[in-house]
């Protein structure tokens, strides 16, 4: 079936550190892949997406590359800020499953000054 | 353009009471979803509606019912609330005809069942 596995948290980093949050997926065919961010007390917001193999999604300094050979979509940022503290969710979508999205369990990031 | 709106924002119920969570979107999206979010569990799909007039069970449908009232609105009903239904509930929508389209989320309803 379809599923997403992302690294366990919580993750704590100092400001300006490099961030990687791992995400791997299981799916047949060619899903689209997404990263969402959830700030405290809010709903999820789309951070970036990639719709085919080797695509790189990017936004606000975050990047992720769709790697079909390793079924991965790792999130990276070169220099995190305190304002990046949030929970990050990896997700996939396939249209032939009734437009269902499959989410990972989320990774909590705290950035300290 | 309000996006996805949910009411109420907060609710406290007693065991056995019923309530309906309302969700509306103004983006002309075809598909709508209800999730619950619990600590350490991520998002779990309760029900979804791939298009107007259809609804399907997700991962955790027991104790819930839904109604796709029209293209804009998708409500979630708890007939007899239980403490295990204490959670944060999110409604989401997507255009639906392409796998490229992302989901848009509402701000959530924080429900406590005593």
């Amino acid at each position: 079936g379809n599923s997403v596995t992302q690294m366990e948290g919580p993750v704590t980093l100092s400001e300006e550190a490099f961030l990687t949050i791992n995400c791997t997926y299981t799916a047949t065919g060619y899903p689209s892949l997404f990263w969402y961010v959830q700030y405290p007390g809010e709903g999820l917001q789309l951070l970036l997406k990639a719709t085919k193999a080797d695509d790189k999604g990017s936004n606000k300094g975050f990047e992720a590359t769709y790697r079909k050979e390793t079924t991965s979509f790792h999130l990276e940022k070169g220099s995190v800020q305190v304002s990046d503290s949030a929970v990050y969710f990896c997700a996939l979508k396939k249209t032939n499953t009734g437009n269902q999205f499959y989410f990972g369990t989320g990774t909590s990031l705290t950035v300290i000054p | 353009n309000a996006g996805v709106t949910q009411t109420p924002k907060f609710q406290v119920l007693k065991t056995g009471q019923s309530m309906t969570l309302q969700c509306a979107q103004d983006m002309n999206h075809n598909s709508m979803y209800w999730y619950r979010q619990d600590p350490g569990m991520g998002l779990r799909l309760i029900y979804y509606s791939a298009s107007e007039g259809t609804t399907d069970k997700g991962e955790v449908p027991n104790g819930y019912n839904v109604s796709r009232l029209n293209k804009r609105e998708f409500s979630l009903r708890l007939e007899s609330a239980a403490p295990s239904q204490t959670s944060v509930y999110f409604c989401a929508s997507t255009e639906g005809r392409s796998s490229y389209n992302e989901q848009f989320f509402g701000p959530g309803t924080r429900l406590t069942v005593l």
Side-chain angles (χ1 to χ4, degrees):
Chain A
N2 301 306
S3 66
V4 174
T5 303
Q6 59 182 106
M7 64 185 282
E8 296 276 338
V11 174
T12 302
L13 294 174
S14 297
E15 205 164 23
E16 299 184 3
F18 185 85
L19 169 71
T20 300
I21 301 177
N22 290 337
C23 170
T24 57
Y25 68 89
T26 301
T28 55
Y30 303 94
S32 293
L33 301 174
F34 305 83
W35 276 102
Y36 281 84
V37 59
Q38 183 181 33
Y39 299 103
E42 298 183 10
L44 279 70
Q45 306 171 27
L46 179 69
L47 181 59
L48 53 84
K49 67 179 182 182
T51 58
K52 60 183 187 295
D54 300 324
D55 265 4
K56 179 186 282 188
S58 62
N59 186 26
K60 299 181 182 179
F62 290 89
E63 293 182 340
T65 301
Y66 188 162
R67 302 283 189 203
K68 189 161 176 63
E69 64 275 13
T70 54
T71 63
S72 66
F73 192 54
H74 304 322
L75 182 69
E76 296 182 336
K77 187 175 186 183
S79 176
V80 294
Q81 305 301 311
V82 171
S83 58
D84 294 326
S85 298
V87 180
Y88 293 82
F89 292 89
C90 185
L92 71 82
K93 177 189 180 186
K94 292 187 66 181
T95 51
N96 63 356
T97 56
N99 299 323
Q100 280 196 59
F101 284 70
Y102 299 85
F103 285 86
T105 53
T107 302
S108 175
L109 170 67
T110 300
V111 180
I112 54 177
Chain B
N1 194 344
V4 180
T5 57
Q6 292 182 236
T7 55
K9 285 189 166 47
F10 300 93
Q11 184 71 51
V12 178
L13 293 178
K14 295 180 179 177
T15 297
Q17 288 184 315
S18 62
M19 79 162 295
T20 300
L21 282 65
Q22 306 286 355
C23 173
Q25 52 89 11
D26 62 1
M27 297 172 282
N28 201 35
H29 285 169
N30 291 305
S31 302
M32 298 185 73
Y33 309 78
W34 277 104
Y35 294 92
R36 60 179 288 173
Q37 184 179 32
D38 303 292
M41 303 290 289
L43 288 173
R44 292 186 291 170
L45 182 65
I46 305 171
Y47 271 94
Y48 66 102
S49 171
S51 60
E52 187 179 358
T54 69
T55 59
D56 286 285
K57 295 178 180 179
E59 182 184 356
V60 289
N62 292 345
Y64 305 95
N65 285 299
V66 291
S67 296
R68 183 76 183 264
L69 303 169
N70 47 55
K71 192 170 186 180
R72 288 187 65 247
E73 298 173 288
F74 188 41
S75 63
L76 178 72
R77 183 158 178 85
L78 287 69
E79 290 290 352
S80 179
S84 61
Q85 294 178 305
T86 293
S87 188
V88 181
Y89 291 85
F90 289 101
C91 178
S93 70
T94 186
E95 193 279 332
R97 280 172 290 186
S98 165
S99 65
Y100 303 165
N101 300 116
E102 65 267 29
Q103 276 188 337
F104 292 81
F105 283 81
T109 294
R110 284 147 184 81
L111 175 66
T112 300
V113 183
L114 302 175

